[in-house]
């Protein structure tokens, strides 16, 4: 079976050595030394001012909204994982959808300003597949209208825009360290901000609002464990090599797939390092996509419709704005298997199956 992704696991002995220290200290959670070390190492790797390591990539979005006191309308993207919309609804906000660009699938910044009302408080945009949004344009709009900017950077670890980590943009950027990501801690996520006061506020909110016997605010539990941090400490030094392996596989796909009948998102201008988080292709129609999925599945190959559906069409989202570009791409986009240990001969086979299924449909 070839799945759409496969988690990278470090050498077991390396991971076990870190766990031996956990057993010696009997410090399992509550801001343990491995959590603190991982935060420091990630800050150094990304060049960030403040980084808070948390339990997953969804709760960090919730903490960002809460800390910024966002309760009303948020202009957001319809093309992302459902968590991006779910957190807005969960926190009592109203998502207002701006359609995406047809070239890079990120939110179309040209469509944001017409959607701003007296109730608009923030912009929540996703760096889709690790590809940076139009960050300067979004920042200019936010300054003009006194809005906060949150970036869902779930896919963006290791990606750089104009020589700086993509995660360094916005009032807050978040990331996911789920097991399927380029960098993972099995489960996990982080909050990144340049703002000292906001960083302290999010730290309080993620630790029940108190440190020791000093209570600062309301709060929830976003604390990560030493076991998850240990995994991150093993994986982080390998990230550059993992990205290089992903790049090589992506380039093999680029050479072998029939691009007369499929297309790919383009990199945003200014991307100086891409992390090859996914390998999405856009088919001619949803029927062609379904035929490709059927052909791949018959060969024991499991792709994923990622992202599907367009979030403005979710059944529990009410009165959403139409987003024709996102709605069109969402029914035609398919992520092919991509992970560092994927064998070259397996990529050859995937490309052959895809090309044959597309050709059969054309005939």
């Amino acid at each position: 079976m070839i799945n759409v992704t496969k988690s990278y696991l470090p050498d077991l002995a390396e991971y076990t050595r870190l766990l031996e220290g956990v057993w010696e200290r009997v410090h399992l959670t509550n801001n343990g030394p491995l959590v603190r070390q991982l935060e420091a190492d990630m800050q150094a790797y990304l060049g960030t001012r403040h980084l808070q390591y948390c339990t997953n990539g969804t709760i960090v979005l919730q903490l960002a909204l809460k800390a910024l006191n966002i309760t009303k309308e948020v202009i957001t993207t319809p093309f992302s994982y459902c968590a991006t919309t779910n957190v807005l609804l969960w926190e009592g906000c109203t998502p207002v959808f701006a359609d995406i660009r047809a070239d890079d699938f990120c939110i179309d910044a040209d469509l944001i300003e017409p959607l701003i009302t007296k109730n608009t408080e923030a912009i929540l945009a996703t760096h889709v597949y690790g590809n940076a949004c139009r960050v300067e344009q979004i920042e200019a709009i936010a300054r003009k209208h006194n809005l906060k900017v949150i970036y869902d950077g779930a896919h963006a670890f290791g990606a750089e825009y104009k020589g700086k980590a993509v995660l360094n943009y916005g009032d807050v950027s978040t990331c996911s360290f789920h097991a399927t990501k380029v960098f993972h801690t099995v489960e996990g996520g982080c909050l990144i901000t340049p703002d000292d006061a906001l960083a302290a506020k999010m730290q309080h909110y993620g630790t029940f609002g108190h440190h020791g016997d000093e209570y600062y605010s309301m709060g929830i539990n976003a604390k990560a464990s030493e076991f998850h941090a240990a995994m991150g400490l093993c994986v982080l030094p390998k990230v550059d090599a993992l990205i290089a392996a992903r790049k090589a596989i992506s380039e093999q796909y680029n050479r072998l797939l029939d691009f007369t009948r499929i297309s790919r998102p383009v990199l945003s201008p200014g991307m100086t390092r891409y992390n090859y988080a996914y390998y999405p292709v856009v088919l001619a129609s949803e029927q062609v996509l379904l035929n490709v999925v059927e052909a791949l599945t018959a060969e024991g190959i499991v792709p994923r419709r990622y992202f599907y559906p367009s979030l403005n069409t979710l059944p529990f989202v009410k009165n959403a704005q139409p987003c024709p570009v996102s709605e069109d791409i969402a029914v035609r986009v398919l992520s092919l298997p991509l992970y560092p240990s994927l064998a070259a001969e397996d990529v050859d086979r995937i490309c052959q199956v895809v090309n044959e299924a597309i050709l059969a449909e054309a005939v």
Side-chain angles (χ1 to χ4, degrees):
M1 182 72 71
I2 300 173
N3 288 316
V4 69
T5 189
K6 183 179 181 180
S7 300
Y8 169 77
L9 287 173
D11 181 73
L12 183 57
E14 181 184 4
Y15 183 63
T16 302
R17 281 194 295 272
L18 291 176
L19 295 190
E20 288 172 353
V22 176
W23 255 254
E24 292 169 3
R25 293 183 295 271
V26 198
H27 190 166
L28 308 186
T29 185
N30 289 349
N31 200 32
L34 298 185
V35 166
R36 295 195 301 271
Q37 184 62 55
L38 180 59
E39 286 180 334
D41 289 357
M42 286 194 290
Q43 280 186 243
Y45 182 81
L46 297 170
T48 63
R49 182 171 175 82
H50 296 287
L51 184 149
Q52 179 182 346
Y53 175 48
C54 298
T55 48
N56 61 63
T58 302
I59 204 165
V60 290
L61 284 167
Q62 293 176 258
L63 287 169
L65 289 166
K66 189 69 72 176
L68 291 169
N69 195 32
I70 307 301
T71 61
K72 297 179 181 178
E73 291 180 0
V74 178
I75 296 174
T76 189
T77 175
F79 195 76
S80 184
Y81 185 56
C82 62
T84 312
T85 294
N86 284 349
V87 295
L88 293 173
L89 298 171
W90 199 268
E91 294 299 325
C93 303
T94 302
V96 177
F97 294 97
D99 208 350
I100 61 173
R101 295 175 57 92
D103 54 358
D104 60 24
F105 305 172
C106 292
I107 193 169
D108 190 339
D110 290 339
L111 302 179
I112 292 175
E113 202 160 13
L115 294 171
I116 295 173
T117 72
K118 60 182 178 60
N119 291 320
T120 306
E121 295 180 328
I123 300 166
L124 171 56
T126 297
H127 299 302
V128 176
Y129 306 130
N131 197 6
C133 298
R134 297 302 202 266
V135 290
E136 290 98 347
Q137 187 177 358
I138 291 172
E139 181 181 347
I141 293 169
R143 282 200 309 265
K144 179 180 177 182
H145 296 276
N146 193 30
L147 305 177
K148 300 299 183 182
V149 178
I150 303 170
Y151 285 114
D152 183 341
H155 318 148
F157 195 93
E160 295 181 357
Y161 179 82
K162 295 186 177 179
K164 185 168 75 169
V166 170
L167 294 169
N168 274 307
Y169 292 88
D171 293 285
V172 181
S173 280
T174 70
C175 197
S176 169
F177 304 143
H178 183 262
T180 58
K181 298 296 190 285
V182 172
F183 165 71
H184 79 90
T185 63
V186 184
E187 286 281 5
C190 75
L191 290 154
I192 292 170
T193 183
D195 187 303
D196 296 350
L198 184 58
K201 190 175 184 181
M202 292 189 295
Q203 183 69 43
H204 293 152
Y205 277 4
T207 56
F208 293 109
H210 75 93
H211 293 289
D213 292 331
E214 297 296 322
Y215 285 77
Y216 299 92
S217 68
M218 63 177 180
I220 58 174
N221 184 8
K223 302 191 301 305
S225 79
E226 292 289 270
F227 296 88
H228 293 86
M231 179 61 74
L233 287 168
C234 292
V235 176
L236 184 59
K238 319 294 195 308
V239 166
D240 290 346
L242 295 173
I243 290 175
R246 288 174 170 272
K247 179 181 179 182
I249 294 165
S250 297
E251 289 175 345
Q252 186 180 357
Y253 274 129
N254 290 345
R255 291 192 301 271
L256 297 178
L257 287 171
D258 181 0
F259 284 99
T260 64
R261 293 180 172 87
I262 61 177
S263 62
R264 296 251 300 134
V266 301
L267 285 183
S268 301
M271 289 294 294
T272 48
R273 188 198 196 200
Y274 185 52
N275 65 358
Y276 300 90
Y278 301 90
Y279 195 89
V281 295
V282 182
L283 288 308
S285 68
E286 185 173 20
Q287 186 57 57
V288 174
L289 179 146
L290 294 173
N291 292 347
V292 169
V293 170
E294 182 180 10
L296 288 169
T297 303
E299 295 291 323
I301 301 163
V302 183
R304 186 177 179 191
R305 300 185 71 175
Y306 199 65
F307 300 107
Y308 171 82
S310 185
L311 297 178
N312 63 310
T313 68
L314 288 169
F316 47 83
V317 174
K318 307 302 180 185
N319 303 315
Q321 295 71 27
C323 297
V325 179
S326 176
E327 291 165 33
D328 174 51
I329 291 173
V331 298
R332 297 189 293 123
V333 69
L334 188 69
S335 284
L336 299 180
L338 176 59
Y339 47 89
S341 61
L342 184 62
E345 56 267 29
D346 288 330
V347 178
D348 289 345
R349 184 157 64 97
I350 293 166
C351 292
Q352 181 180 356
V353 173
V354 171
N355 289 340
E356 289 176 354
I358 294 171
L359 184 60
E361 176 68 22
V363 173

